[in-house]
């Protein structure tokens, strides 16, 4: 059967190329392995041909998928799910990597780029390094195959037609030849998640995946070193790649932070979400690995740790991939992928590379054979006997034991004691702290995995938990462990001390000399930076108001300023101003500033939006608050922090609904003799001209005298006392809501940037249609005459309803019509002496309501519409004047963080260039 | 004792402490029965929105209080007081994870909530089911 309008050839081409890429990777693997073992250049040629074929196929897949997306061929599932015709073309790239398959493809693509660079540059390392690349590429290629072997599906192909999806096969519509024309759903795709329609999402994923790809280079070199028994030689060529990885991955992570800050409304740039953690952990270990490679020439004892970190970084990348793409995180992450049957493949991928790493570390051949034998047994246990979890746990334990055995038996065990005052010793310690920090983040992110792993051991753990009485053990036993409820507090508790140690080491590290350092000179060179850091810390503590109980924050402030100053001073003092050599120092200054900016902005971020409407009104102090959100009626001007804010209106541009907010300066108020103000239910008259203090009570006896008698209407008319009044417009912000019926509406923040702080605002709640009636959606109350209604702002007494049948009405409307008039008394909910009357009207023709005339009470921001009258029962619609709820957060010092990012990337770049030239 | 042994010991100690610490700080998934058995204790409760009951959000009274009823996975329902503005897609959610504690007033006081909205897969099914029934 042939279908009309399908571009089946593109799908077939894609499938074919996926197979070619897999076959090419296998060929390259075979060729390079044989070349490495026998050193026969013929096999190298085979390996190169294989890798080139693989590369051409991968590029072909990328081009095919882009072609499908560009041309909107919605018969393809991937195109239909991730794009539509309305979307701006520049976001096609985001569609490409929104899905599981596309992001795997992106990763594969970067590996191909790096692999081809290495073919040209790796020289004598080409064989073993490219063999590892080919193995990784083979695994990645299976993720895109989408073939079925028996009941097992291997990978997931982006080239499936919608009618080929398993759940659609056999459905009646798949037999219609012109289904593309007939079925309207195929006219357009489902579109891209609005959160991803952001320029950061065009550059953040490729950067991050390039960073992930870079971690493969030190891994491949480390394996190559173990394989060829050149345990140290691999580090020199791997080193620049490692720091390229540090730079690119670090930039990618922080771009993710920038995206979260600019486009997401969770209020910040980092939330310790599992997906964020998954990218941070490999970066930490990669930094550790890179620094260990630097010192390895001089420090024999760190060799094994260097291997552990270089191998571990890539394994952690695989682990992150497993965590975020297999679906095991489940309910704990907002933005991880759903599983879609990827779990077994990803698990095998990860465990295979763990096995490879441990096997290679065991340089004694008998141990390696023993370990590989055990791996096969455990694989058989897991797959054959279907006891996966115990098999995996056993595998983990065996791998751990064999890693220790590798250290004890291999050439790594060196008996040497280095000097305490040496650079290599402290860099080594710093790398270990980075490793610990990475482990802690990993542990806490892995909580859902613990549940899975420990489920079969319920019988053992439950009695143990009962005996010890430990709550978490009980949760563990029942496999119901949830991640820390307060993630920020939990991670900060652990990571602030780690960051403190690392920052101190960054500060002093370069002042240590290799081998041994003269103590006096060391102290003399550091004294200025130390004094500066103490002074800055004192200043910062005072400015930011850190209290003694926040000693951890003060300590980190000190350590980061110390690190920034010490490294900045290093350039003129020790390097004599040579910028070419200053790369490491610049990068370290950047790192310290990132930490400092994160510290200042997260510890002193504060909501300045306050709900000043409602029952707990600011009575005497306008800064009194009960909430983080602020309700703002359209047109009202309310104080917010050091500004006044007005919600002037909203406008729609495409799918974006903008809420225009004007920010006015706050001027000190000025009262003159004779002015009257209202404070609660009393009036006061000013005795003299004065500028009010922060609270009324402070001014009251000196400048104000009570007004003894006054009428109620005078009370309401008189303005409330305020310390400040709105001045001129200083700036405007327009936070927006992206309307998206399919994915849900998304609020995007709008931020005002100053050098020293940001004002970040976003909409929490608003009326999302653009009907210009100026009122919120009504709420219908059905009550009888005599009843009371309590609405959010007022109390309504329904007095009476009467039919108006006077001669004028009858003459004007005709005899078929009846006009009903409702008499109500309305009281301000928060002021029991403030009464109004309201008389809404409804017109009936026979027994159908045909028109109505509402009644608004502007003082109470409310409008009444009479909907129905049935005898004594009335239906009353109550609507409030249009408002929005917004949140405004001040982030102080966030620019320090962004400047730090740039310095870190730039410094690393300079350092890599310097090292490449030096070689 | 040699310095390298000392370092190894310190590292193992910190790693074990971090592991225990992360477990100790973790809260637990629970159903409502367990949450109400230990009021004041923090839990993650997984459930669904009870659509037969109203979602009450009166921003002009309290802009960060949303009240609704949830049903946990075992079928027990209870009122939830969520200390947040009503999320835009609460009604569309197919699954809720509430983070908070049971209170003596019979309601679950949640300070945070994760929403799982209809996944891509389900939506896909919905469309194709519609197509199927057309024919």
């Amino acid at each position: 059967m042939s279908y009309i309008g399908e571009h089946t050839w593109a799908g077939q081409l894609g499938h074919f190329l996926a197979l070619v890429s897999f076959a090419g990777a296998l060929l390259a693997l075979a060729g390079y392995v044989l070349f490495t073992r026998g050193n026969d250049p013929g096999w190298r040629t085979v390996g190169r041909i294989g890798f080139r074929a693989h590369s051409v196929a991968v590029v072909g897949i990328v081009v095919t998928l882009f072609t499908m997306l560009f041309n909107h061929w919605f018969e393809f599932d991937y195109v239909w799910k991730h794009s539509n015709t309305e979307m701006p073309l520049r976001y096609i790239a985001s569609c490409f990597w929104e899905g599981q398959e596309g992001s795997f493809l992106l990763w594969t693509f970067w590996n191909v780029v790096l692999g081809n660079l290495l073919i040209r540059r790796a020289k004598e390392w080409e064989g073993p390094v490219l063999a590892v690349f080919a193995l990784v590429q083979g695994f990645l290629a299976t993720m895109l195959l989408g073939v079925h072997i028996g009941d097992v599906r291997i990978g997931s192909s982006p080239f499936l037609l919608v009618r080929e999806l398993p759940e659609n096969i056999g459905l009646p519509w798949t037999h219609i030849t012109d289904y593309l024309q007939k079925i309207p759903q195929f006219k357009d795709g489902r579109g891209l998640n609005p959160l991803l329609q952001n320029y950061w999402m065009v550059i953040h994923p490729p950067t991050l995946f390039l960073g992930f790809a870079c971690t493969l280079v030190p891994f491949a070199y480390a394996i190559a070193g173990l394989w060829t028994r050149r345990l140290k030689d691999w580090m020199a060529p791997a080193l620049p790649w490692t720091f390229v990885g540090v730079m690119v991955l670090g930039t990618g992570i922080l771009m993710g932070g920038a995206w979260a800050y600019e486009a997401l409304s969770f209020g910040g740039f980092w939330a310790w979400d599992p997906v964020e953690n998954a990218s941070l952990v490999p970066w930490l270990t990669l930094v550790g690995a890179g620094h260990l490679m630097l010192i390895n020439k001089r420090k024999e004892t760190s060799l094994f740790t260097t291997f552990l970190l270089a191998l571990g970084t890539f394994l952690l990348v695989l682990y992150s991939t497993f965590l975020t793409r297999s679906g095991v995180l489940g309910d704990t992450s907002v933005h991880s992928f759903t599983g879609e049957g990827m779990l077994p493949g990803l698990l095998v991928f990860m465990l295979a590379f763990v096995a490879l790493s441990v096997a290679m570390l065991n340089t004694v051949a008998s141990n390696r054979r023993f370990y590989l034998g055990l791996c096969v047994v455990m694989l058989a246990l897991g797959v054959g006997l279907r006891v996966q979890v115990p098999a995996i746990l056993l595998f983990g334990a065996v791998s751990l034991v064999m890693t220790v055995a590798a250290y004890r038996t291999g050439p790594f065990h060196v008996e040497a004691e280095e000097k305490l005052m040496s650079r290599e010793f402290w860099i080594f310690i710093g790398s270990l702290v980075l490793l610990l920090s990475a482990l802690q983040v990993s542990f806490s992110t892995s909580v859902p995995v613990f549940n899975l792993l420990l489920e079969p051991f319920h019988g053992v753990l439950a009695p143990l938990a009962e005996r010890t009485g430990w709550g978490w053990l009980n949760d563990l036993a029942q496999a119901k462990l949830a991640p820390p409820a307060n993630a920020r507090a939990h991670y900060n508790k652990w990571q602030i001390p780690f960051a403190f140690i690392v920052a101190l080491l960054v500060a002093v590290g370069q002042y240590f000399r290799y081998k041994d350092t003269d103590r006096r000179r060391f102290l003399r060179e550091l004294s200025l930076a130390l004094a500066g850091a103490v002074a800055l810390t004192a200043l910062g503590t005072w400015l930011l108001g850190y209290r003694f109980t926040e000693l951890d924050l003060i300590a980190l402030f000190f350590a980061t300023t110390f690190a920034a100053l010490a490294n900045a001073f290093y350039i003129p003092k020790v390097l004599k101003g040579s910028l070419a050599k200053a790369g490491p120092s610049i990068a370290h200054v950047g790192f310290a500033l990132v930490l400092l900016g994160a510290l200042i902005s997260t510890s002193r971020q504060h909501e300045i939006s306050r709900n000043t409407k409602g029952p707990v009104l600011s009575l005497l102090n306008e800064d009194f608050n009960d909430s983080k959100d602020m309700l703002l009626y359209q047109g009202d001007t309310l104080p917010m922090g050091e500004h006044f804010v007005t919600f002037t209106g909203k406008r729609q541009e495409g799918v974006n609904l903008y809420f225009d907010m004007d920010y006015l300066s706050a001027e000190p108020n000025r009262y003159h003799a004779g002015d009257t103000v209202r404070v609660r239910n009393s009036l006061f008259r000013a005795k003299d001209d004065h500028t009010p203090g922060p609270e009324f009570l402070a001014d009251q006896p000196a400048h104000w005298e009570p007004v003894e008698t006054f009428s109620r209407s005078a009370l309401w008319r008189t303005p409330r006392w305020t310390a400040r009044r709105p001045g001129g417009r200083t700036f405007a912000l327009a936070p927006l809501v992206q309307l998206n019926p399919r994915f849900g509406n998304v609020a995007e923040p709008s931020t005002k940037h100053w050098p020293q702080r940001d004002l970040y605002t976003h909409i929490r709640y608003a009326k999302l249609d653009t009907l210009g009636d100026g009122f919120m959606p009504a709420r219908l109350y059905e009550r009888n005459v005599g009843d009371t209604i309590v609405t959010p702002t007022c109390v309504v007494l329904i007095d009476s309803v009467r039919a108006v049948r006077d001669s004028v009405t009858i003459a004007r409307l005709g005899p078929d019509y009846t006009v009903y008039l409702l008499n109500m008394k309305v009281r301000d909910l928060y002021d029991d002496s403030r009464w109004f009357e309201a008389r809404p009207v409804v017109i009936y023709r026979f027994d159908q309501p045909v028109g109505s005339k509402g009644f608004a009470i502007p003082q109470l921001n409310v409008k009444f519409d009479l909907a129905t009258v049935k005898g004594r029962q009335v239906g009353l619609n109550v609507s409030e004047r249009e408002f929005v709820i917004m949140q405004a957060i001040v982030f102080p010092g966030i620019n320090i963080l962004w400047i730090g990012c740039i310095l870190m990337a730039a410094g690393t770049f300079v350092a890599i260039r310097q090292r490449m030239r030096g070689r | 004792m040699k310095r390298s042994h000392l370092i190894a010991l310190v590292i193992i100690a910190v790693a074990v402490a971090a592991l225990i610490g992360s477990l100790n700080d973790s809260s637990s998934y629970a159903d409502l029965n367990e949450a109400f058995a230990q009021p004041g204790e923090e839990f993650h409760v997984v459930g669904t929105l009870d659509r037969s009951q109203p979602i009450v959000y009166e921003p002009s009274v309290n802009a960060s209080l949303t009240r609704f009823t949830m049903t946990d996975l075992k079928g027990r329902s209870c009122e939830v007081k969520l200390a947040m503005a009503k999320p835009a897609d609460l009604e569309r959610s197919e699954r809720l994870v509430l983070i908070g504690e049971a209170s003596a007033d019979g309601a679950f006081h949640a300070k945070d909530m994760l929403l799982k909205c209809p996944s891509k897969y389900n939506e896909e099914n919905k469309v194709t089911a519609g197509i199927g029934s057309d024919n």
Side-chain angles (χ1 to χ4, degrees):
Chain A
M1 191 152 79
S2 69
Y3 294 90
I4 299 165
E6 270 187 358
H7 304 82
T8 330
W9 62 268
Q12 284 161 348
L13 179 66
H15 279 300
F16 171 72
L17 288 172
L19 284 172
V20 171
S21 85
F22 181 58
L26 288 189
L27 184 66
L29 178 64
Y32 278 122
V33 166
L34 290 171
F35 169 60
T36 309
R37 294 179 73 120
N39 216 7
D40 174 359
W43 285 119
R44 182 175 61 193
T45 315
V46 172
R48 282 184 182 170
I49 291 171
F51 204 82
R52 288 274 147 76
H54 169 79
S55 308
V56 170
V58 167
V59 172
I61 295 172
V62 172
V63 171
T64 311
L65 192 56
F66 263 118
T67 310
M68 282 158 46
L69 284 164
F70 262 115
N71 292 315
H72 304 301
W73 292 341
F74 294 121
E75 64 269 30
F76 290 102
D77 183 49
Y78 198 86
V79 181
W80 189 85
K81 268 184 190 160
H82 299 292
S83 72
N84 65 9
T85 50
E86 283 168 24
M87 191 183 55
L89 213 56
R90 61 181 181 277
Y91 296 132
I92 288 281
S94 308
C95 304
F96 182 89
W97 44 71
E98 188 198 29
Q100 180 95 265
E101 299 86 354
S103 59
F104 268 119
L105 198 48
L106 186 60
W107 188 6
T108 312
F109 173 76
W110 283 126
N111 278 347
V112 162
V113 171
L114 293 180
N116 280 293
L117 282 175
L118 283 167
I119 289 180
R120 296 169 65 126
R121 305 202 53 156
K123 300 194 183 86
E124 78 268 25
W125 291 99
E126 182 185 337
V129 166
L130 263 292
V132 176
F133 262 77
L135 184 62
V136 172
Q137 292 301 82
F139 270 102
L140 283 174
T142 59
M143 301 289 162
L144 296 173
L145 278 185
V147 295
H148 289 256
I149 298 177
D151 290 339
V152 185
R153 190 185 61 157
I154 296 180
S156 158
S157 168
F159 297 108
L160 275 188
L161 294 165
V162 176
R163 65 175 166 83
E164 290 172 339
L165 292 178
E167 66 265 30
N168 290 344
I169 287 175
L171 287 181
W173 65 264
T174 59
H175 300 299
I176 311 171
T177 52
D178 55 350
Y179 74 98
L180 281 176
Q181 289 75 34
K182 272 208 179 135
I183 299 173
Q185 276 91 335
F186 283 102
K187 290 277 178 293
D188 203 353
R190 210 181 43 172
L192 181 66
N193 188 329
L195 287 174
L196 305 182
Q197 299 193 21
N198 183 287
Y199 57 93
W200 286 110
M201 275 326 268
V202 181
I203 55 170
H204 159 61
T207 315
L208 197 66
F209 276 101
L210 177 58
F212 284 155
C214 286
T215 65
L216 178 57
V217 184
F219 177 85
Y221 268 105
I223 293 283
L226 289 164
W227 190 355
T228 55
R229 301 290 169 100
R230 297 164 69 190
L231 295 179
K232 283 183 166 182
D233 299 346
W234 62 275
M235 290 184 202
L239 189 65
W241 294 99
T242 307
F243 277 98
V244 168
V246 167
M247 177 177 73
V248 175
L249 188 56
T251 311
I253 294 168
L254 289 163
M255 276 178 181
W259 168 58
Y261 185 66
E262 291 289 320
L264 300 187
S265 43
F266 66 63
F269 53 88
W270 194 261
W272 295 107
D273 185 273
V275 173
E276 296 170 342
N277 293 349
S279 60
L280 176 67
V281 167
W283 185 80
L284 291 171
T285 54
L286 190 67
V287 172
H291 282 82
L292 285 184
M293 290 180 197
L294 282 174
I295 59 166
N296 206 270
K297 261 183 227 144
R298 294 183 170 82
K299 186 167 157 60
E300 302 266 317
T301 45
S302 68
L303 183 61
F304 191 71
T305 320
T306 313
F307 274 111
L308 276 189
L309 285 174
L311 297 174
T313 300
F314 179 67
L315 296 180
L316 282 167
V317 167
L318 293 183
Y319 180 59
S320 323
T321 311
F322 170 73
L323 275 186
T324 50
R325 288 152 181 274
S326 65
V328 291
L329 288 178
D331 290 323
T332 63
S333 170
V334 193
H335 50 247
S336 65
F337 289 89
T338 50
E340 294 170 19
M342 298 295 282
L343 194 141
L346 288 167
L347 194 62
V348 170
F349 188 11
M350 177 175 69
L351 296 182
F353 275 87
V354 173
L356 173 72
S357 306
V358 177
M360 294 308 282
L361 276 174
N362 277 281
T363 44
V364 179
S366 59
N367 283 2
R368 187 182 290 175
R369 275 199 296 275
F370 172 68
Y371 174 70
L372 287 174
L374 279 181
C375 287
V376 172
V377 171
M378 284 175 293
L379 185 69
L381 274 178
V383 179
L385 297 179
R386 303 206 163 264
V387 282
Q388 289 95 342
V389 171
I392 292 170
L393 280 175
L394 196 62
F395 172 75
V398 169
S399 300
L400 199 64
V401 169
M402 291 307 288
T403 309
V404 176
Y407 174 64
R408 304 296 303 187
T409 57
F412 309 108
H413 199 60
V414 181
E415 300 281 340
E417 197 78 342
E418 64 289 321
K419 288 251 166 39
L420 197 62
M421 288 295 284
S422 69
R423 186 185 286 184
E424 55 269 31
F425 177 73
W426 291 106
I427 288 187
F428 179 65
I429 295 293
S431 301
L432 290 181
V433 175
L434 286 174
L435 176 65
L436 282 175
S437 154
L439 284 180
Q440 193 276 326
V441 178
S442 282
F443 284 148
S444 294
T445 314
S446 303
V447 161
V449 180
F450 297 155
N451 285 339
L452 285 180
L453 285 182
L454 293 173
E455 211 163 4
F457 300 97
H458 172 67
V460 186
L461 286 172
L464 198 65
E466 222 159 87
R467 203 164 306 157
T468 54
W470 289 345
W472 59 266
L473 205 55
N474 196 35
D475 289 334
L476 207 58
Q478 302 190 10
K480 277 202 277 192
L481 218 55
N486 190 345
R488 282 179 203 215
H490 167 75
Y491 286 105
N492 287 348
K493 185 171 77 186
W494 284 95
Q495 295 299 322
I496 287 178
F498 288 137
F500 172 73
I501 300 172
V502 169
L504 276 190
L505 292 176
V506 164
V508 300
Q510 293 212 79
Y511 288 90
F512 282 111
R513 302 291 187 276
Y514 285 112
K515 292 227 155 60
D516 202 0
T517 314
D518 178 33
R519 267 163 222 260
R520 274 206 202 127
R521 188 171 153 189
F522 174 76
L523 289 174
R524 193 177 59 234
E525 283 177 341
L526 270 171
S527 55
L528 185 60
L530 190 63
V534 169
L536 277 180
T537 308
L539 184 70
T541 307
W542 176 66
L543 279 179
L544 296 165
Y546 288 131
R547 289 180 301 274
F548 190 67
T549 46
E550 295 169 305
L551 201 61
D552 53 340
L553 302 183
I554 300 174
L556 186 57
F557 194 101
F558 165 73
T560 51
T561 44
F562 184 32
L565 288 179
N567 280 286
F569 292 166
Y570 192 79
I571 302 168
K573 258 190 172 168
V574 182
L575 302 174
K576 312 287 177 231
S578 157
L579 275 182
K581 289 185 192 158
S585 305
I586 297 172
H588 285 151
V589 171
F591 174 75
L593 291 183
V594 167
L595 285 181
L596 182 65
L599 168 73
I600 294 176
S601 62
T602 50
S603 67
R604 282 298 174 263
Q605 75 177 69
H606 54 282
E607 289 87 0
I608 57 167
S609 43
R610 309 274 186 243
N611 190 23
T612 49
K613 295 268 166 191
V616 197
L617 208 66
S618 55
L619 296 177
L620 295 174
N621 180 352
E622 70 181 40
D623 285 333
F624 188 81
N625 81 303
D626 65 330
S627 168
K628 293 175 174 178
D629 306 308
M630 173 169 181
L631 183 145
L632 198 54
Y633 285 106
Q634 186 170 356
D636 276 9
T637 302
L638 288 180
M640 190 179 81
E642 55 197 68
H643 316 277
F644 277 83
V645 58
T646 304
F647 166 37
T648 55
K650 59 186 180 187
R651 64 197 148 85
Q652 187 165 10
E653 282 173 22
V655 293
N656 292 340
L657 193 57
Y658 291 89
F659 295 81
D660 286 312
M661 307 278 179
D662 278 355
Y663 287 79
L664 316 172
S665 63
E667 310 285 343
N669 217 340
R670 183 83 190 149
Y671 285 109
H672 302 283
D675 284 353
T676 50
V677 294
R678 178 184 175 193
V679 177
R680 303 181 79 172
N681 286 328
S682 313
L683 292 189
F684 291 85
R685 186 177 296 115
K687 294 182 194 166
D688 54 2
D689 294 4
H690 70 280
T691 303
E695 287 179 31
F696 179 76
L697 280 182
D699 293 349
Q700 195 255 325
H703 301 291
W704 299 97
E705 58 184 5
V707 179
E708 297 298 338
T709 54
F710 50 84
S711 69
R712 250 187 215 159
S713 56
L715 180 67
W716 301 331
R717 268 201 312 274
T718 311
R720 287 173 191 273
W721 179 89
T722 54
R724 294 180 301 169
R725 64 184 166 79
R729 191 180 107 149
T730 48
F731 60 94
L733 290 177
L736 65 103
V737 173
Q738 202 182 97
L739 303 172
N740 193 314
R742 202 183 285 276
F743 287 97
N745 303 315
V746 174
E748 282 190 29
S750 174
T751 304
K752 170 75 181 169
H753 304 272
W754 287 279
Q756 77 282 18
R757 69 194 166 98
D758 276 9
L759 174 65
Y760 168 105
T761 67
H762 64 104
I763 296 290
R764 305 271 283 171
Y765 181 84
K767 178 181 155 187
L768 293 180
D769 60 48
T770 41
L771 298 175
D773 63 346
F775 282 88
M776 299 301 280
R779 187 187 312 223
L780 181 67
Y781 294 89
E782 287 187 321
R783 295 291 144 87
N784 289 318
V785 172
D787 283 356
T788 309
I789 303 171
V790 181
T791 79
T793 54
C794 56
V795 180
V796 181
L797 304 179
I798 302 172
D799 255 6
S800 63
V801 61
R802 73 187 166 89
V804 184
R805 286 218 186 76
D806 58 280
S807 54
V808 181
T809 314
I810 293 170
R812 198 176 284 171
L813 291 176
D816 298 343
Y817 292 86
T818 319
V819 177
Y820 291 100
L821 175 75
L822 189 65
N823 272 312
M824 311 189 302
K825 289 202 172 67
V826 182
R827 199 200 83 195
D828 187 339
L829 186 60
Y830 308 114
D831 186 343
D832 55 16
S833 59
R834 197 177 184 196
W835 288 91
F836 299 87
E837 287 193 345
R839 288 190 202 82
V841 164
V842 64
I843 304 169
Y844 269 74
R845 181 167 188 260
F846 302 118
D847 51 358
Q848 284 301 315
V850 292
S852 71
K853 187 166 177 296
F855 195 99
I857 302 176
Q859 296 91 329
L860 295 180
N861 295 314
V862 72
K863 184 179 79 166
F864 300 98
D865 282 294
L866 190 55
T868 53
V869 175
K870 283 183 198 127
R872 287 175 57 78
Q873 198 197 40
V874 295
L876 187 67
N877 274 316
V878 182
S879 39
E880 284 181 67
R881 194 145 66 82
E882 179 159 359
F883 60 80
V884 292
I885 308 257
M886 63 176 284
Q887 194 172 59
I889 309 173
V890 169
F891 285 95
I894 195 155
N895 281 337
I896 299 177
L897 188 148
W898 305 132
I899 292 170
C901 298
I902 295 165
L903 284 180
M904 192 157 68
T908 314
F909 178 78
V910 172
I912 296 165
R913 210 182 54 164
Q914 175 71 10
R915 188 158 282 270
M916 303 280 278
R917 283 199 180 156
R919 273 198 25 231
Chain B
M1 193 190 272
K2 280 198 335 206
R3 197 181 292 137
S4 55
H5 290 164
L6 201 66
I7 293 169
L9 268 181
V10 168
I11 285 166
I12 292 169
V14 174
V16 169
L19 178 61
I20 303 268
S22 70
L23 291 175
N24 223 357
D25 268 7
S26 62
S27 61
S28 46
Y29 285 113
D31 53 43
L32 287 170
N33 283 332
E34 290 167 90
F36 277 95
Q38 289 160 279
E41 197 64 18
E42 198 158 65
F43 287 102
H44 287 226
V45 180
V46 185
T48 52
L49 176 70
D50 183 350
R51 288 184 173 73
S52 65
Q53 301 294 317
I55 298 172
V56 182
Y57 179 55
E58 289 173 330
S60 38
V61 176
N62 186 343
S64 18
L65 176 67
T66 311
R67 286 180 294 152
F68 56 92
T69 304
M70 82 171 292
T71 310
D72 71 6
L73 298 179
K74 288 199 176 141
R76 176 172 167 173
S77 295
C78 100
E79 192 193 354
V80 176
K81 290 181 179 167
L82 170 70
M84 275 166 61
K86 186 174 85 65
D89 37 9
L90 177 59
E91 286 91 343
R92 289 163 41 90
S93 70
E94 61 178 18
R95 207 145 185 231
L96 312 171
V97 182
L98 286 149
I99 302 164
E101 56 189 55
S103 153
D105 63 5
F108 188 82
H109 287 238
K111 60 178 192 192
D112 203 358
M113 177 167 71
L114 298 178
L115 284 179
K116 282 270 164 173
C117 282
S119 75
K120 302 167 182 181
Y121 237 54
N122 286 347
E123 210 143 348
E124 171 77 12
N125 282 338
K126 222 185 294 166
V127 171
T128 42
I131 296 167
S133 64
D134 284 346
N135 296 282

